Amino acid sequence: MTRALTLHDWMVAGVAVVAGIAAGLLLRALLRWLGVRASRTRWSGDDVIVDALRTLVPCAAITAGLAAAAGALPLTPRTGRNVTMTLTALLILAATLTAARVVTGLVRSVAQSRSGVAGSATIFVNITRVVVLAMGFLVVLQTLGISIAPLLTALGVGGLAVALALQDTLANLFAGVHILAAKTVQPGDYIQLSSGEEGYVVDINWRNTVVRSLSNNLVIIPNAQLASTNMTNFSRPEQELSITVQVGVSYDSDLEQVERVTAEVVDEVMKEITGAVPDHEAAIRFHTFGDSRISFTVILGVGEFSDQYRIKHEFIKRLHQRYRAEGIRVPAPARTVTVQQGELPPPLGIPHQRDASMPPRVH
């Protein structure tokens, strides 16, 4: 300390600290007002930026006030340097956390806009957050006078051991990156694995893929397993798909009438039921002479996978009602049983005995 502290020094330092705190509060109120305005825009990125700056800007104002207070005090060069270094490190740390929030928020916003669903692929968000925080941590160490070269060397040498110990984790990480980069699966897609698991993809993180089944249960699938198994994606290349319904009519039916009535019901369902494809052209294909009926396939168009159950439900109800009104019969399976006279089957539990007067039967 070059000279003794005076009351004037304390007053100047106190004013600087109070001014920094007041500026931080005013800036926070201003950013809150900007956040309200940003929420009214269509782009979600400005919401992320304003929300992140709401923490950084007040912290920077208070840090500036503390730095001004330290400059007003008669500190020794070493003490002043340590105070400046500490305040700089705190400011860099706050800026790093803010940058991590901004970048990850923007990545999440982009992922959500690409997938078109509420969920997002958090694997890119997590990787981005780790990279930004690691860079900020190294800058803080360098600011504090700690050499980061030995640390980087140790990380490089120890990376091999870590990679060997985390083979499964790294395999899942790179498998998840490959899945998203290849765009074979995206959050919101409906998938079905060859092992039987199926549902909507909720999220793809650094280790596994979360799938929500139609029963509203979550199925956790490791990324490496998802990348190596046979899979059907019902949402790509487009969500609209065709489904088939098997129908049969009796042999005495007029097939031209059957085709006309069925097509009218298909057009009615496509235009009136939510989830159907209004411009879908009715397709009826007769294909089999069965035991008691002529079978045919009706092809329906649905907007996405889960809509098919509602579409089938409404189509079968309306088709059955229309067939009854038009007199078109849907036969039940029938069998003709012939019993030979002269030989009846024995009651249960009694062995069969032939009449001696009857000639033996030759098989």
Side-chain angles (χ1 to χ4, degrees):
M1 186 177 295
T2 57
R3 60 180 176 82
L5 287 172
T6 63
L7 180 60
H8 179 268
D9 296 332
W10 287 111
M11 289 180 63
V12 173
V15 169
V17 172
V18 171
I21 296 175
L25 294 176
L26 290 176
L27 290 173
R28 186 173 179 84
L30 176 61
L31 289 171
R32 186 180 297 110
W33 179 81
L34 290 176
V36 175
R37 296 298 182 273
S39 62
R40 300 175 182 176
T41 62
R42 298 181 60 182
W43 184 48
S44 60
D46 53 359
D47 299 333
V48 175
I49 296 174
V50 172
D51 183 66
L53 292 179
R54 193 178 298 175
T55 302
L56 175 63
V57 173
C59 181
I62 296 174
T63 303
L66 293 175
L73 297 175
L75 304 177
T76 61
R78 182 177 180 180
T79 304
R81 184 170 58 253
N82 291 336
V83 171
T84 302
M85 186 184 303
T86 303
L87 294 176
T88 304
L90 291 177
L91 186 59
I92 293 175
L93 181 60
T96 300
L97 296 176
T98 302
R101 291 180 60 183
V102 171
V103 175
T104 54
L106 294 177
V107 171
R108 184 181 290 107
S109 177
V110 171
Q112 180 175 338
S113 63
R114 293 288 181 86
S115 62
V117 294
S120 62
T122 57
I123 182 171
F124 290 139
V125 175
N126 293 332
I127 292 176
T128 304
R129 180 183 293 113
V130 170
V131 171
V132 174
L133 292 178
M135 294 176 61
F137 178 71
L138 294 177
V139 173
V140 169
L141 292 181
Q142 190 71 26
T143 303
L144 295 176
I146 301 175
S147 178
I148 62 175
L151 179 61
L152 295 177
T153 303
L155 290 176
V157 174
L160 180 61
V162 173
L164 292 176
L166 300 177
Q167 291 185 30
D168 294 338
T169 301
L170 293 177
N172 288 320
L173 173 63
F174 288 111
V177 173
H178 170 72
I179 290 171
L180 289 174
K183 295 185 178 181
T184 55
V185 177
Q186 296 289 324
D189 292 352
Y190 192 95
I191 63 173
Q192 183 181 52
L193 305 185
S194 58
S195 54
E197 296 88 353
E198 61 178 287
Y200 289 97
V201 178
V202 177
D203 190 19
I204 302 176
N205 55 45
W206 61 276
R207 182 171 178 80
N208 50 54
T209 299
V210 182
V211 175
R212 178 175 55 83
S213 64
L214 293 179
S215 59
N216 208 28
N217 297 321
L218 294 181
V219 182
I220 311 301
I221 305 172
N223 292 334
Q225 177 183 345
L226 184 65
S228 60
T229 189
N230 295 331
M231 174 186 62
T232 302
N233 191 336
F234 292 95
S235 301
R236 297 184 182 275
E238 58 184 15
Q239 281 194 325
E240 293 184 2
L241 67 152
S242 299
I243 60 173
T244 59
V245 178
Q246 303 301 322
V247 188
V249 295
S250 61
Y251 275 91
D252 57 357
S253 301
D254 182 355
L255 296 188
E256 293 293 336
Q257 180 192 16
V258 170
E259 185 174 8
R260 176 181 57 80
V261 171
T262 305
E264 292 176 357
V265 175
V266 171
D267 293 338
E268 178 184 334
V269 171
M270 292 296 101
K271 289 180 173 61
E272 297 181 3
I273 304 303
T274 303
V277 181
D279 57 351
H280 173 77
E281 183 178 355
I284 296 96
R285 300 292 182 265
F286 295 95
H287 56 75
T288 304
F289 288 101
D291 292 339
S292 58
R293 66 181 64 195
I294 298 178
S295 301
F296 60 95
T297 299
V298 181
I299 303 175
L300 306 174
V302 298
E304 60 102 12
F305 186 86
S306 63
D307 292 332
Q308 63 176 304
Y309 304 104
R310 180 173 59 256
I311 302 301
K312 285 184 179 180
H313 170 78
E314 290 294 334
F315 172 72
I316 292 175
K317 283 200 318 181
R318 299 189 182 199
L319 187 66
H320 180 260
Q321 182 181 8
R322 186 68 184 279
Y323 276 4
R324 293 183 64 181
E326 297 286 342
I328 300 174
R329 190 167 62 89
V330 180
R335 295 291 184 272
T336 301
V337 180
T338 303
V339 179
Q340 290 186 352
Q341 189 176 4
E343 182 178 358
L344 298 177
L348 293 177
I350 301 178
H352 179 73
Q353 296 182 354
R354 295 184 56 83
D355 189 352
S357 61
M358 295 179 63
R361 299 181 64 181
V362 180
H363 298 279

